[in-house]
Coordinates of all heavy atoms in Angstrom, one line a residue:
P248 N 8.4 -26.4 -18.9 CA 9.3 -26.6 -17.8 C 10.6 -25.6 -18.0 O 11.3 -25.4 -16.9 CB 9.6 -28.0 -17.8 CG 9.4 -28.4 -19.3 CD 8.4 -27.6 -19.8
D249 N 10.9 -25.2 -19.1 CA 12.1 -24.3 -19.4 C 11.8 -22.9 -19.0 O 12.8 -22.1 -19.1 CB 12.7 -24.6 -20.6 CG 13.2 -26.0 -20.9 OD1 13.6 -26.6 -19.9 OD2 13.1 -26.5 -22.0
F250 N 10.6 -22.5 -18.9 CA 10.3 -21.0 -18.7 C 9.6 -20.9 -17.4 O 8.6 -21.5 -17.0 CB 9.3 -20.5 -19.8 CG 8.9 -19.1 -19.7 CD1 9.8 -18.1 -20.0 CD2 7.6 -18.9 -19.3 CE1 9.5 -16.8 -19.8 CE2 7.2 -17.5 -19.1 CZ 8.1 -16.5 -19.3
H251 N 9.9 -19.8 -16.6 CA 9.4 -19.4 -15.3 C 9.2 -17.9 -15.4 O 10.1 -17.2 -15.4 CB 10.3 -19.9 -14.2 CG 10.5 -21.3 -14.2 ND1 9.6 -22.3 -13.7 CD2 11.6 -22.1 -14.5 CE1 10.1 -23.5 -13.9 NE2 11.3 -23.4 -14.4
A252 N 7.9 -17.5 -15.4 CA 7.7 -16.1 -15.3 C 7.5 -15.6 -13.9 O 6.9 -16.4 -13.1 CB 6.3 -15.8 -16.0
F253 N 7.9 -14.5 -13.5 CA 7.9 -14.1 -12.2 C 7.9 -12.5 -12.2 O 8.4 -11.9 -13.1 CB 9.0 -14.6 -11.3 CG 10.3 -14.3 -11.7 CD1 11.1 -13.2 -11.3 CD2 11.0 -15.2 -12.7 CE1 12.3 -12.9 -11.8 CE2 12.2 -14.9 -13.1 CZ 12.9 -13.8 -12.8
P254 N 7.3 -11.9 -11.1 CA 7.4 -10.4 -11.1 C 8.8 -9.9 -10.8 O 9.5 -10.6 -10.1 CB 6.4 -10.1 -9.9 CG 6.2 -11.4 -9.2 CD 6.6 -12.5 -10.0
M255 N 9.0 -8.8 -11.2 CA 10.4 -8.1 -10.9 C 10.1 -6.8 -10.0 O 9.1 -6.2 -10.2 CB 11.0 -7.7 -12.2 CG 11.5 -8.8 -13.1 SD 12.2 -8.2 -14.6 CE 13.4 -7.0 -14.1
L256 N 11.2 -6.5 -9.3 CA 11.0 -5.2 -8.6 C 11.7 -4.2 -9.5 O 12.9 -4.1 -9.8 CB 11.9 -5.3 -7.3 CG 11.4 -6.2 -6.2 CD1 12.4 -6.2 -5.0 CD2 10.0 -5.5 -5.6
G257 N 10.8 -3.3 -9.9 CA 11.2 -2.2 -10.8 C 10.1 -1.3 -11.1 O 8.9 -1.6 -11.0
S258 N 10.4 0.1 -11.4 CA 9.4 1.0 -11.7 C 10.0 1.9 -12.8 O 11.2 2.2 -12.7 CB 8.9 1.9 -10.5 OG 8.2 1.0 -9.6
Y259 N 9.2 2.3 -13.7 CA 9.6 3.3 -14.7 C 8.9 4.6 -14.3 O 7.6 4.5 -13.9 CB 9.3 2.9 -16.1 CG 10.0 1.7 -16.6 CD1 9.3 0.5 -16.4 CD2 11.2 1.7 -17.1 CE1 10.0 -0.8 -16.9 CE2 11.9 0.6 -17.7 CZ 11.3 -0.6 -17.5 OH 11.9 -1.7 -17.9
F260 N 9.5 5.7 -14.5 CA 8.8 7.0 -14.1 C 9.3 8.1 -15.0 O 10.4 7.9 -15.7 CB 8.9 7.3 -12.7 CG 10.3 7.5 -12.2 CD1 10.9 8.7 -12.2 CD2 11.1 6.4 -11.7 CE1 12.1 9.0 -11.7 CE2 12.3 6.6 -11.3 CZ 12.8 7.8 -11.3
I261 N 8.6 9.2 -15.0 CA 9.1 10.4 -15.7 C 9.3 11.5 -14.7 O 8.6 11.7 -13.8 CB 8.0 10.9 -16.7 CG1 7.7 9.8 -17.8 CG2 8.4 12.2 -17.4 CD1 6.5 10.1 -18.7
R262 N 10.5 12.1 -14.8 CA 10.9 13.2 -13.9 C 10.7 14.5 -14.5 O 11.0 14.7 -15.6 CB 12.4 12.9 -13.5 CG 12.9 14.0 -12.5 CD 14.2 13.6 -12.1 NE 14.3 12.2 -11.6 CZ 15.3 11.7 -10.8 NH1 16.3 12.5 -10.6 NH2 15.3 10.6 -10.4
F263 N 10.1 15.4 -13.6 CA 9.8 16.8 -14.0 C 10.6 17.7 -13.1 O 10.7 17.4 -11.9 CB 8.3 17.1 -13.9 CG 7.5 16.4 -15.0 CD1 6.7 15.3 -14.5 CD2 7.4 16.8 -16.2 CE1 6.0 14.6 -15.5 CE2 6.6 16.1 -17.2 CZ 5.9 15.0 -16.8
N264 N 11.0 18.8 -13.6 CA 11.6 19.8 -12.7 C 10.5 20.5 -12.0 O 9.7 21.3 -12.7 CB 12.4 20.9 -13.7 CG 13.1 21.9 -12.7 OD1 12.9 22.0 -11.5 ND2 14.1 22.5 -13.2
V265 N 10.4 20.3 -10.7 CA 9.3 21.0 -10.0 C 9.6 22.1 -9.3 O 8.9 22.7 -8.5 CB 8.7 19.8 -9.0 CG1 8.2 18.6 -9.8 CG2 9.7 19.5 -8.0
T266 N 10.8 22.8 -9.5 CA 11.2 24.0 -8.9 C 10.9 25.2 -9.8 O 11.0 26.3 -9.3 CB 12.7 24.0 -8.6 OG1 13.5 24.0 -9.9 CG2 13.1 22.8 -7.7
R267 N 10.4 25.0 -11.0 CA 10.0 26.2 -11.8 C 8.9 25.7 -12.9 O 8.7 24.6 -13.0 CB 11.3 26.7 -12.5 CG 12.0 25.8 -13.4 CD 13.2 26.4 -14.1 NE 14.1 25.4 -14.7 CZ 14.0 25.1 -15.9 NH1 13.1 25.6 -16.7 NH2 14.7 24.1 -16.4
G268 N 8.5 26.7 -13.5 CA 7.5 26.5 -14.6 C 6.1 26.0 -14.1 O 5.9 26.0 -12.8
P269 N 5.4 25.3 -14.9 CA 4.1 24.9 -14.4 C 4.1 23.8 -13.4 O 3.2 23.7 -12.7 CB 3.4 24.5 -15.7 CG 4.5 24.1 -16.6 CD 5.7 25.1 -16.3
C270 N 5.2 23.1 -13.5 CA 5.3 21.9 -12.6 C 5.5 22.2 -11.1 O 5.6 21.4 -10.3 CB 6.3 20.8 -13.1 SG 5.6 20.0 -14.5
S271 N 5.8 23.4 -10.9 CA 6.0 23.9 -9.5 C 4.7 24.0 -8.8 O 4.7 24.2 -7.5 CB 6.7 25.3 -9.5 OG 5.9 26.2 -10.0
D272 N 3.6 23.9 -9.4 CA 2.3 24.0 -8.8 C 1.8 22.6 -8.6 O 1.8 21.7 -9.6 CB 1.3 24.6 -9.8 CG -0.1 24.9 -9.2 OD1 -0.6 24.0 -8.4 OD2 -0.7 25.9 -9.6
P273 N 1.5 22.1 -7.4 CA 1.2 20.7 -7.1 C 0.0 20.4 -7.8 O -0.4 19.2 -8.1 CB 0.9 20.6 -5.6 CG 1.1 22.1 -5.1 CD 1.7 23.0 -6.2
R274 N -1.0 21.3 -8.2 CA -2.2 21.0 -9.0 C -1.9 20.4 -10.4 O -2.4 19.5 -10.9 CB -3.1 22.1 -9.1 CG -3.7 22.5 -7.7 CD -4.4 23.9 -7.8 NE -3.5 24.9 -8.3 CZ -3.7 26.2 -8.3 NH1 -5.0 26.6 -8.0 NH2 -2.8 27.1 -8.6
V275 N -0.8 21.1 -11.0 CA -0.4 20.7 -12.3 C 0.3 19.3 -12.2 O -0.1 18.4 -13.0 CB 0.7 21.7 -12.8 CG1 1.4 21.1 -14.1 CG2 -0.1 23.0 -13.1
R276 N 1.1 19.0 -11.2 CA 1.6 17.7 -11.1 C 0.6 16.6 -10.9 O 0.7 15.6 -11.4 CB 2.7 17.7 -9.8 CG 3.9 18.6 -10.1 CD 5.0 18.4 -9.2 NE 4.6 18.6 -7.8 CZ 4.8 19.7 -7.1 NH1 5.1 20.8 -7.7 NH2 4.4 19.6 -5.7
R277 N -0.5 16.9 -10.0 CA -1.5 16.0 -9.9 C -2.3 15.7 -11.2 O -2.6 14.6 -11.4 CB -2.3 16.5 -8.7 CG -3.4 15.4 -8.4 CD -4.1 15.8 -7.0 NE -5.0 14.8 -6.7 CZ -6.1 15.0 -5.9 NH1 -6.3 16.1 -5.4 NH2 -6.9 14.0 -5.7
A278 N -2.5 16.8 -11.9 CA -3.2 16.8 -13.1 C -2.5 15.8 -14.0 O -3.0 15.0 -14.8 CB -3.5 18.0 -13.7
L279 N -1.2 16.0 -14.1 CA -0.3 15.1 -15.1 C -0.5 13.7 -14.7 O -0.6 12.9 -15.5 CB 1.1 15.6 -15.0 CG 1.4 17.0 -15.7 CD1 2.8 17.4 -15.5 CD2 1.1 16.9 -17.3
A280 N -0.4 13.4 -13.3 CA -0.5 12.1 -12.9 C -1.9 11.5 -13.2 O -2.0 10.3 -13.6 CB -0.2 12.0 -11.4
M281 N -2.9 12.2 -13.1 CA -4.2 11.7 -13.3 C -4.6 11.6 -14.9 O -5.6 11.0 -15.3 CB -5.3 12.6 -12.6 CG -5.2 12.6 -11.2 SD -6.2 13.8 -10.3 CE -7.7 13.0 -10.2
A282 N -3.8 12.4 -15.7 CA -4.1 12.3 -17.1 C -3.7 11.0 -17.8 O -4.1 10.7 -18.9 CB -3.5 13.7 -17.8
V283 N -2.5 10.4 -17.2 CA -1.9 9.3 -17.9 C -2.7 8.0 -17.6 O -3.0 7.7 -16.4 CB -0.5 9.1 -17.3 CG1 0.1 7.9 -17.7 CG2 0.3 10.4 -17.7
D284 N -3.2 7.3 -18.6 CA -3.8 6.1 -18.5 C -2.8 5.1 -18.3 O -2.3 4.4 -19.4 CB -4.7 5.8 -19.6 CG -5.6 4.6 -19.6 OD1 -5.2 3.8 -18.6 OD2 -6.5 4.5 -20.3
K285 N -2.3 4.7 -17.2 CA -1.1 3.8 -16.9 C -1.5 2.4 -17.4 O -0.7 1.7 -17.9 CB -0.9 3.8 -15.4 CG -0.4 5.1 -14.9 CD -0.3 5.2 -13.4 CE -0.2 6.6 -12.8 NZ -1.4 7.3 -13.0
A286 N -2.8 1.9 -17.2 CA -3.1 0.6 -17.6 C -2.9 0.4 -19.2 O -2.5 -0.5 -19.8 CB -4.6 0.3 -17.3
R287 N -3.4 1.4 -19.9 CA -3.3 1.5 -21.4 C -1.8 1.5 -21.7 O -1.4 0.9 -22.7 CB -4.1 2.6 -21.9 CG -4.1 2.6 -23.4 CD -5.0 3.6 -24.0 NE -5.2 3.4 -25.4 CZ -5.9 4.2 -26.2 NH1 -6.6 5.2 -25.6 NH2 -5.9 4.1 -27.5
L288 N -1.1 2.4 -21.1 CA 0.3 2.6 -21.3 C 1.1 1.1 -21.3 O 1.8 0.8 -22.2 CB 1.0 3.5 -20.4 CG 2.3 3.9 -20.7 CD1 2.5 4.7 -22.0 CD2 2.9 4.9 -19.5
V289 N 0.9 0.4 -20.2 CA 1.6 -0.8 -20.0 C 1.1 -1.9 -21.0 O 1.8 -2.8 -21.4 CB 1.7 -1.3 -18.6 CG1 2.4 -0.4 -17.7 CG2 0.3 -1.8 -18.1
A290 N -0.3 -1.9 -21.4 CA -0.8 -2.8 -22.3 C -0.3 -2.6 -23.7 O -0.1 -3.5 -24.5 CB -2.3 -2.7 -22.2
R291 N -0.3 -1.3 -24.1 CA 0.0 -0.9 -25.5 C 1.5 -0.6 -25.9 O 1.9 -0.6 -27.0 CB -0.9 0.0 -26.0 CG -2.4 -0.4 -26.0 CD -3.2 0.5 -26.8 NE -4.5 -0.1 -26.9 CZ -5.3 0.3 -27.8 NH1 -5.2 1.3 -28.7 NH2 -6.6 -0.2 -27.8
V292 N 2.1 0.0 -24.8 CA 3.6 0.5 -25.1 C 4.6 -0.4 -24.6 O 5.5 -1.0 -25.4 CB 3.8 1.9 -24.5 CG1 5.2 2.4 -24.8 CG2 2.7 2.9 -25.1
T293 N 4.6 -0.8 -23.4 CA 5.6 -1.6 -22.8 C 5.3 -3.1 -23.2 O 6.2 -3.9 -23.6 CB 5.8 -1.4 -21.3 OG1 4.6 -1.7 -20.6 CG2 6.3 -0.1 -21.0
G294 N 4.1 -3.5 -23.1 CA 3.6 -4.8 -23.6 C 4.3 -6.1 -23.0 O 4.3 -7.1 -23.7
S295 N 4.8 -6.0 -21.9 CA 5.5 -7.2 -21.3 C 4.6 -7.7 -20.0 O 5.2 -8.4 -19.2 CB 6.8 -6.8 -20.8 OG 7.6 -6.5 -22.0
G296 N 3.4 -7.3 -19.8 CA 2.6 -7.8 -18.8 C 2.9 -7.0 -17.4 O 2.5 -7.5 -16.4
E297 N 3.5 -5.9 -17.4 CA 3.7 -5.1 -16.2 C 2.5 -4.7 -15.5 O 1.5 -4.5 -16.2 CB 4.6 -3.9 -16.5 CG 5.9 -4.0 -17.1 CD 5.9 -4.1 -18.6 OE1 4.9 -4.2 -19.3 OE2 7.0 -4.0 -19.2
E298 N 2.6 -4.5 -14.3 CA 1.5 -4.0 -13.5 C 1.5 -2.4 -13.6 O 2.5 -2.0 -13.4 CB 1.5 -4.5 -12.0 CG 0.5 -3.9 -11.1 CD 0.7 -4.3 -9.7 OE1 1.4 -5.3 -9.4 OE2 0.2 -3.6 -8.8
P299 N 0.3 -1.8 -13.9 CA 0.4 -0.3 -13.9 C 0.8 0.2 -12.6 O 0.3 -0.3 -11.5 CB -1.1 0.0 -14.2 CG -1.6 -1.2 -14.8 CD -0.9 -2.4 -14.3
A300 N 1.7 1.1 -12.5 CA 2.3 1.5 -11.2 C 1.5 2.8 -10.7 O 1.3 3.8 -11.5 CB 3.7 1.9 -11.3
A301 N 1.0 2.8 -9.5 CA 0.4 3.9 -8.9 C 1.4 4.5 -7.9 O 1.0 5.5 -7.4 CB -0.9 3.5 -8.2
H302 N 2.5 3.9 -7.7 CA 3.4 4.2 -6.7 C 4.8 3.9 -7.1 O 5.0 3.1 -8.1 CB 3.2 3.4 -5.4 CG 1.9 3.6 -4.8 ND1 0.7 2.9 -5.2 CD2 1.4 4.6 -4.0 CE1 -0.3 3.2 -4.6 NE2 0.0 4.3 -3.8
L303 N 5.9 4.4 -6.6 CA 7.2 4.2 -7.0 C 7.7 2.8 -6.6 O 8.4 2.1 -7.2 CB 8.2 5.3 -6.5 CG 9.5 5.3 -7.1 CD1 9.5 5.4 -8.7 CD2 10.4 6.5 -6.5
V304 N 7.2 2.3 -5.3 CA 7.6 1.2 -4.8 C 6.6 0.0 -5.4 O 5.5 0.1 -5.3 CB 7.4 1.2 -3.3 CG1 7.8 -0.1 -2.7 CG2 8.3 2.4 -2.6
P305 N 7.2 -1.1 -6.0 CA 6.4 -2.0 -6.4 C 5.6 -2.8 -5.5 O 6.0 -3.0 -4.4 CB 7.6 -3.0 -7.1 CG 8.7 -2.1 -7.3 CD 8.6 -1.1 -6.3
T306 N 4.5 -3.2 -5.9 CA 3.6 -3.9 -4.9 C 4.0 -5.2 -4.4 O 3.5 -5.6 -3.4 CB 2.2 -4.2 -5.7 OG1 2.4 -5.0 -6.8 CG2 1.6 -2.9 -6.1
I307 N 5.0 -5.8 -4.9 CA 5.5 -7.2 -4.5 C 6.6 -6.9 -3.4 O 7.2 -7.8 -2.8 CB 6.1 -8.0 -5.5 CG1 7.2 -7.5 -6.3 CG2 5.0 -8.3 -6.4 CD1 7.9 -8.5 -7.2
T308 N 6.8 -5.6 -3.1 CA 7.9 -5.4 -2.0 C 7.4 -5.8 -0.7 O 6.2 -5.5 -0.3 CB 8.1 -3.9 -2.0 OG1 8.6 -3.5 -3.3 CG2 9.3 -3.6 -0.9
A309 N 8.2 -6.6 0.0 CA 7.7 -7.2 1.3 C 7.3 -6.0 2.4 O 8.0 -5.1 2.4 CB 8.9 -8.0 1.9
N310 N 6.2 -6.3 3.0 CA 5.6 -5.4 4.0 C 5.3 -4.1 3.6 O 5.2 -3.2 4.3 CB 6.6 -5.4 5.2 CG 6.8 -6.8 5.8 OD1 5.9 -7.6 5.9 ND2 8.1 -7.1 6.1
Y311 N 5.2 -3.8 2.3 CA 4.8 -2.5 1.8 C 3.3 -2.3 1.6 O 2.6 -3.2 1.0 CB 5.4 -2.2 0.4 CG 5.0 -0.9 -0.2 CD1 5.4 0.3 0.4 CD2 4.3 -0.9 -1.2 CE1 5.1 1.5 0.0 CE2 3.9 0.4 -1.9 CZ 4.3 1.6 -1.3 OH 4.0 2.8 -1.8
R312 N 2.8 -1.5 2.4 CA 1.3 -1.1 2.2 C 1.1 0.2 1.5 O 1.5 1.2 2.0 CB 0.7 -1.0 3.6 CG 0.7 -2.3 4.4 CD 0.0 -2.1 5.7 NE 0.8 -2.7 6.6 CZ 0.5 -2.9 7.9 NH1 -0.7 -2.4 8.3 NH2 1.3 -3.5 8.7
R313 N 0.4 0.0 0.4 CA 0.3 1.2 -0.5 C -1.1 1.8 -0.4 O -2.0 1.2 0.0 CB 0.6 0.9 -1.9 CG -0.5 0.0 -2.5 CD -0.1 -0.2 -4.0 NE -1.2 -1.1 -4.7 CZ -1.2 -1.4 -5.8 NH1 -0.2 -1.0 -6.6 NH2 -2.2 -2.1 -6.3
G314 N -1.1 3.1 -0.6 CA -2.3 3.9 -0.6 C -3.0 3.8 -2.0 O -2.5 3.0 -2.8
P315 N -4.1 4.5 -2.3 CA -4.8 4.4 -3.5 C -4.0 4.9 -4.7 O -4.3 4.5 -5.8 CB -6.1 5.2 -3.3 CG -5.7 6.1 -2.3 CD -4.7 5.4 -1.3
G316 N -3.1 5.9 -4.6 CA -2.4 6.4 -5.6 C -3.3 7.4 -6.4 O -4.5 7.6 -6.0
Q317 N -2.9 7.9 -7.6 CA -3.7 8.7 -8.4 C -4.4 8.0 -9.4 O -3.8 7.2 -10.3 CB -2.8 9.8 -9.2 CG -2.2 10.8 -8.2 CD -3.1 11.7 -7.3 OE1 -4.2 12.0 -7.7 NE2 -2.7 12.1 -6.2
P318 N -5.8 8.2 -9.5 CA -6.6 7.3 -10.5 C -6.4 8.0 -12.0 O -6.0 9.2 -11.9 CB -8.0 7.4 -10.1 CG -8.0 8.8 -9.3 CD -6.7 8.9 -8.6
H319 N -6.8 7.3 -13.0 CA -6.8 7.9 -14.2 C -8.1 8.6 -14.4 O -9.2 7.9 -14.3 CB -6.7 6.7 -15.3 CG -6.9 7.3 -16.7 ND1 -7.9 6.8 -17.5 CD2 -6.2 8.2 -17.3 CE1 -7.8 7.4 -18.7 NE2 -6.9 8.4 -18.6
D320 N -8.1 9.8 -14.3 CA -9.4 10.7 -14.3 C -9.1 12.0 -15.1 O -8.8 13.0 -14.6 CB -9.7 11.0 -12.8 CG -11.1 11.6 -12.7 OD1 -11.6 12.1 -13.8 OD2 -11.6 11.6 -11.6
P321 N -9.3 11.8 -16.4 CA -9.1 13.1 -17.3 C -10.0 14.2 -16.9 O -9.4 15.4 -17.0 CB -9.4 12.5 -18.7 CG -9.2 11.1 -18.6 CD -9.6 10.7 -17.1
A322 N -11.1 14.0 -16.5 CA -12.1 15.2 -16.2 C -11.5 15.9 -14.9 O -11.4 17.1 -14.9 CB -13.5 14.7 -15.9
A323 N -11.0 15.2 -13.9 CA -10.5 15.8 -12.7 C -9.1 16.5 -13.1 O -8.9 17.5 -12.6 CB -10.2 14.8 -11.7
A324 N -8.4 15.9 -14.0 CA -7.1 16.4 -14.5 C -7.3 17.9 -15.1 O -6.6 18.8 -14.9 CB -6.4 15.5 -15.3
R325 N -8.3 17.9 -16.0 CA -8.7 19.1 -16.7 C -9.1 20.3 -15.7 O -8.9 21.4 -15.8 CB -9.8 18.9 -17.7 CG -9.3 18.3 -19.0 CD -10.3 18.3 -20.1 NE -11.4 17.3 -19.9 CZ -11.3 16.1 -20.3 NH1 -10.2 15.6 -20.8 NH2 -12.3 15.1 -20.0
A326 N -9.9 19.8 -14.6 CA -10.3 20.7 -13.6 C -9.2 21.3 -12.8 O -9.1 22.6 -12.6 CB -11.3 20.1 -12.6
L327 N -8.2 20.4 -12.4 CA -7.1 20.8 -11.8 C -6.2 21.9 -12.6 O -5.7 22.9 -12.1 CB -6.2 19.7 -11.3 CG -6.7 18.9 -10.1 CD1 -6.0 17.6 -10.0 CD2 -6.6 19.7 -9.0
L328 N -6.1 21.5 -13.9 CA -5.3 22.5 -14.7 C -6.1 23.8 -14.9 O -5.3 24.9 -14.9 CB -5.1 21.8 -16.2 CG -4.0 20.8 -16.3 CD1 -3.9 20.3 -17.7 CD2 -2.7 21.3 -15.9
A329 N -7.3 23.8 -14.9 CA -8.1 25.1 -15.0 C -7.8 25.9 -13.7 O -7.6 27.1 -13.8 CB -9.6 24.7 -15.3
E330 N -7.8 25.2 -12.5 CA -7.6 25.9 -11.3 C -6.2 26.5 -11.2 O -6.0 27.5 -10.7 CB -7.7 24.9 -10.2 CG -9.0 24.5 -9.6 CD -9.0 23.6 -8.5 OE1 -7.9 23.6 -7.8 OE2 -9.8 22.7 -8.3
A331 N -5.2 25.8 -11.9 CA -3.9 26.2 -11.9 C -3.7 27.4 -13.0 O -2.5 27.8 -13.1 CB -3.0 25.1 -12.2
G332 N -4.7 27.7 -13.7 CA -4.6 28.8 -14.7 C -4.5 28.3 -16.2 O -4.2 29.2 -17.0
F333 N -4.8 27.2 -16.4 CA -4.7 26.6 -17.8 C -6.0 26.0 -18.2 O -6.1 24.8 -18.5 CB -3.6 25.6 -17.8 CG -2.3 26.1 -17.5 CD1 -1.7 25.8 -16.1 CD2 -1.5 26.9 -18.2 CE1 -0.5 26.2 -15.7 CE2 -0.2 27.4 -17.9 CZ 0.3 27.0 -16.6
P334 N -7.1 26.8 -18.2 CA -8.4 26.2 -18.7 C -8.3 25.6 -20.1 O -7.9 26.3 -20.9 CB -9.3 27.4 -18.5 CG -8.5 28.6 -18.7 CD -7.2 28.3 -18.1
G335 N -8.8 24.4 -20.2 CA -8.9 23.8 -21.6 C -7.4 23.5 -22.0 O -7.2 23.3 -23.1
G336 N -6.4 23.5 -21.1 CA -5.1 23.4 -21.5 C -4.5 24.6 -22.2 O -3.3 24.6 -22.6
R337 N -5.3 25.7 -22.3 CA -4.7 26.9 -22.9 C -3.5 27.6 -22.3 O -3.5 27.6 -21.0 CB -5.9 28.0 -22.9 CG -6.4 28.3 -24.3 CD -7.4 29.5 -24.4 NE -8.0 29.8 -23.1 CZ -9.2 29.2 -22.8 NH1 -9.9 28.3 -23.5 NH2 -9.9 29.6 -21.6
D338 N -2.6 27.9 -23.0 CA -1.3 28.5 -22.7 C -0.3 27.5 -21.8 O 0.5 28.1 -21.1 CB -1.5 29.8 -21.9 CG -2.3 30.8 -22.7 OD1 -2.0 31.0 -24.0 OD2 -3.2 31.6 -22.1
F339 N -0.7 26.3 -21.8 CA 0.1 25.3 -21.1 C 1.4 25.1 -21.9 O 1.4 24.8 -23.1 CB -0.6 24.0 -20.8 CG 0.2 23.1 -20.0 CD1 0.0 23.4 -18.5 CD2 1.1 22.1 -20.3 CE1 0.7 22.5 -17.6 CE2 1.7 21.4 -19.4 CZ 1.6 21.6 -18.0
P340 N 2.5 25.4 -21.3 CA 3.8 25.3 -22.1 C 4.2 23.9 -22.4 O 3.7 23.0 -21.7 CB 4.9 26.1 -21.2 CG 4.3 25.9 -19.8 CD 2.8 25.8 -20.0
T341 N 5.1 23.8 -23.3 CA 5.7 22.5 -23.7 C 6.7 22.1 -22.5 O 7.5 22.9 -22.1 CB 6.5 22.5 -25.0 OG1 5.6 22.9 -26.1 CG2 7.1 21.2 -25.3
L342 N 6.5 20.9 -22.1 CA 7.5 20.4 -21.1 C 8.7 19.8 -21.7 O 8.7 18.8 -22.4 CB 6.8 19.4 -20.2 CG 5.6 19.9 -19.4 CD1 4.9 18.8 -18.7 CD2 5.9 21.0 -18.4
D343 N 9.8 20.5 -21.5 CA 11.1 20.0 -22.1 C 11.9 19.2 -21.1 O 12.0 19.4 -20.0 CB 12.0 21.1 -22.6 CG 11.3 21.9 -23.7 OD1 10.5 21.4 -24.5 OD2 11.5 23.2 -23.7

């Protein structure tokens, strides 16, 4: 009776400079989004029962209808990186 769990409105995200470097290419940005296993990340890293976020707006936001978001799909991410000029991740620079 002394503990009540409830969802919170909040999202964690990583910001990239999309005006230069490899992240200026939308294929690279999409590949990065598809390469991250969000479910595993929240289960093993944050570990507080968060819902994996496919969008910046939390799902419990009133009247918010979300689309499908980017799935975790490493094979499609590799294909997008190859299209963007980084086959097999070759010559992909470090993101600082």
Side-chain angles (χ1 to χ4, degrees):
D249 295 330
F250 176 76
H251 302 281
F253 56 91
M255 291 178 50
L256 286 173
S258 295
Y259 297 94
F260 61 93
I261 299 171
R262 183 176 300 201
F263 294 99
N264 183 346
V265 299
T266 63
R267 61 184 168 87
C270 291
S271 64
D272 187 325
R274 295 170 297 187
V275 170
R276 296 193 301 268
R277 187 169 182 204
L279 290 172
M281 296 174 87
V283 175
D284 185 347
K285 297 167 193 76
R287 187 173 185 181
L288 187 67
V289 298
R291 295 197 173 194
V292 177
T293 60
S295 296
E297 298 92 344
E298 177 183 337
H302 304 86
L303 192 56
V304 179
T306 57
I307 63 169
T308 303
N310 301 316
Y311 177 66
R312 291 184 228 187
R313 67 181 185 177
Q317 295 298 329
H319 175 237
D320 190 342
R325 281 191 285 278
L327 284 168
L328 281 179
E330 279 181 33
F333 304 102
R337 244 185 341 270
D338 298 322
F339 193 82
T341 300
L342 299 175
D343 298 327

